[in-house]
Amino acid sequence: MDLTFSPQHEAFRAEARVWLEANVPSGLASMNTAEGYRQHLEWERKLFDARWAVVSWPEEYGGREADLMEWLIFEEEYYRSGAPGRVTQNGIFLLAPTLFEHGTQDQRDRYLRDMASGAKTWAQGWSEPNAGSDLAGLTSRARQDGDHWVLNGQKTWSTRAVFCDYLFGLFRTDPEATRHRGLTYFLVPLDAEGVTVRSVGGLHDDEAFAEVFFEDVRVHERDVLGGVNQGWAVAMATASSERGLSLRSPGRFMATADRLLDLYRRCVSGEVGGGPLSLDPRLADDVVRCWMDADAYRLYTFQAVTALMGGGTMGPEASLNKIFWSELDVRLHETALALLGQLAELDIDADEAVDHGRWMDGFLFSLAGPIYAGTNEIQRNVVAERVLGLPRVK
């Protein structure tokens, strides 16, 4: 692995940093509210117009055709600048890589540019009331009727689906097939007749999640992604993006680790809490460990990207990635809460809340990390069997 950035990469970083420092908005409302979602979409449009929304995509879809190393550099600069979360993430970080790998040219042409600009946003439809981590246990079905498919069933825990325009999801198209077979991957407009989207309240009484019901919903066969009954293989491409590089880049965790280090310094100096806090000396070790782990994840990712740019692939090792970043995120926020003590419990609206209460907010969100994208228990099974070659436990 070569950690020396080329002059081209350094110039790319400088250009991104200058633009972000001049344009990153502040004070956006939560993206889990209607007003906040609208504000974030305005930011997405601004990114797109400046060709920063999807830097690694082809120019025809709004990208810069940047290489993977430049994408990592942009992600570092994005989070370093304190830019807001991406409401387009389900589309551009999860579905788009799958469209590039398995989609038809017609599907790419119809969906990618609107996805990049935020003109159309996407929800994920995998989890069901009785099939969450066990994706192969889903029961929503689709039957063919001429050149259309008719969908029935229910999806749940679809992030911000109440605000989205489309959903990508798996449906069982061959009920007689074994669990991992007979599934098909569909692209579904959420304004289609027979679709009902019902919000599920989040921790802040917002609309972070939704249930989606399908009652005889007709979807044209051109919106089957990757072939009939081939859904499991296509879904694994999406899962690889979710667990591997694209959803949680190391820039996100390095930025949090840097903020944690800054918080420690402010606690010791007395800037936080109205005077020097009496801290357990072991917390200094915890802060250093968090920063080192974030940097280790960063270096591991550069290694993975170097291999990919050399023609390699990322297989079950994505599960190792997912376990590491999800548990790192929890440790980063647990350490911050330990530094803050009672101050950590102040709500985001409290005047005395440190950093606007983002540490507790981030901690609560981090607890979902070991669950979504496939629980870490399932990922450890994948690592045991497919990375380490251990026998399956019956």
Side-chain angles (χ1 to χ4, degrees):
M1 179 176 61
D2 183 0
L3 288 176
T4 304
F5 293 113
S6 68
Q8 172 191 336
H9 290 152
E10 295 291 4
F12 182 86
R13 182 187 294 278
E15 183 184 358
R17 180 172 296 189
V18 168
W19 189 88
L20 288 165
E21 288 180 348
N23 290 281
V24 165
S26 61
L28 302 189
S30 167
M31 68 174 78
N32 297 331
T33 65
E35 175 60 15
Y37 201 80
R38 183 192 63 75
Q39 293 174 353
H40 281 74
L41 285 179
E42 288 181 1
W43 166 239
E44 295 287 349
R45 182 71 206 194
K46 194 167 189 176
L47 279 170
F48 178 77
D49 289 343
R51 296 174 56 240
W52 290 115
V54 286
V55 296
S56 61
W57 289 18
E59 290 185 5
E60 63 186 295
Y61 303 128
R64 293 171 175 248
E65 302 192 1
D67 62 29
L68 281 174
M69 199 63 75
E70 288 171 325
W71 173 73
L72 280 177
I73 289 171
F74 175 74
E75 288 285 297
E76 287 189 344
E77 292 303 318
Y78 189 88
Y79 286 104
R80 173 189 172 277
S81 71
R86 306 288 302 273
V87 292
T88 54
Q89 67 174 12
N90 280 338
I92 63 176
F93 295 144
L94 299 183
L95 177 58
T98 311
L99 276 172
F100 281 120
E101 183 175 353
H102 294 280
T104 64
Q105 188 61 49
D106 169 64
Q107 289 170 338
R108 296 185 196 114
D109 291 343
R110 281 191 290 127
Y111 292 128
L112 286 175
R113 193 169 179 87
D114 280 348
M115 184 189 297
S117 69
K120 302 293 182 184
T121 54
W122 291 77
Q124 186 178 31
W126 284 9
S127 294
E128 296 186 359
N130 295 311
S133 294
D134 183 16
L135 184 60
L138 63 85
T139 59
S140 291
R141 296 189 177 191
R143 60 177 174 81
Q144 193 157 24
D145 181 17
D147 58 0
H148 281 69
W149 288 84
V150 182
L151 278 53
N152 282 281
Q154 178 187 352
K155 302 294 181 180
T156 192
W157 303 121
S158 295
T159 304
R160 291 181 285 280
V162 72
F163 306 124
C164 293
D165 304 285
Y166 290 93
L167 174 144
F168 56 91
L170 286 178
F171 291 77
R172 192 163 293 284
T173 44
D174 183 357
E176 305 302 319
T178 56
R179 282 162 42 89
H180 297 81
R181 302 180 186 275
L183 300 171
T184 300
Y185 200 122
F186 287 96
L187 309 176
V188 187
L190 287 174
D191 62 355
E193 185 176 353
V195 174
T196 301
V197 183
R198 186 168 66 191
S199 66
V200 177
L203 290 169
H204 299 296
D205 197 25
D206 50 27
E207 297 181 283
F209 302 101
E211 299 173 295
V212 185
F213 300 87
F214 302 86
E215 185 174 357
D216 292 333
V217 177
R218 296 180 68 83
V219 175
H220 197 276
E221 60 185 2
R222 68 177 180 171
D223 281 324
V224 168
L225 177 55
V228 175
N229 294 331
Q230 302 302 311
W232 185 259
V234 184
M236 289 305 98
T238 305
S240 179
S241 300
E242 193 173 21
R243 297 164 187 166
L245 295 177
S246 61
L247 183 64
R248 296 289 181 254
S249 70
R252 173 193 179 107
F253 302 105
M254 272 318 301
T256 305
D258 286 340
R259 288 195 295 107
L260 178 65
L261 193 58
D262 176 66
L263 177 66
Y264 179 80
R265 288 171 176 147
R266 287 186 289 144
C267 289
V268 171
S269 70
E271 183 181 340
V272 167
L277 296 178
S278 178
L279 299 176
D280 184 332
R282 289 174 293 185
L283 284 174
D285 289 341
D286 292 341
V287 171
V288 171
R289 170 60 62 187
C290 283
W291 195 94
M292 291 171 61
D293 285 350
D295 198 42
Y297 177 52
R298 175 177 181 264
L299 296 174
Y300 174 81
T301 306
F302 277 125
Q303 181 188 39
V305 163
T306 300
L308 289 173
M309 292 175 67
T313 59
M314 192 165 194
E317 292 81 5
S319 294
L320 274 173
N321 237 30
K322 195 271 172 170
I323 293 169
F324 192 85
W325 61 248
S326 61
E327 297 182 357
L328 168 63
D329 203 25
V330 175
R331 289 199 304 278
L332 283 162
H333 288 90
E334 282 181 335
T335 304
L337 300 191
L339 287 172
L340 292 170
Q342 293 182 342
L343 292 173
E345 299 179 14
L346 292 173
D347 194 66
I348 55 177
D349 297 323
D351 292 338
E352 297 179 1
V354 177
D355 297 336
H356 306 289
R358 67 185 301 180
W359 290 107
M360 178 59 80
D361 200 43
F363 169 69
L364 294 174
F365 182 79
S366 75
L367 295 178
I371 300 173
Y372 66 74
T375 66
N376 283 11
E377 287 79 4
I378 296 292
Q379 302 315 308
R380 284 186 162 86
N381 282 343
V382 174
V383 171
E385 295 169 12
R386 299 179 59 192
V387 178
L388 301 178
L390 298 177
R392 180 188 291 269
V393 177
K394 298 182 179 178

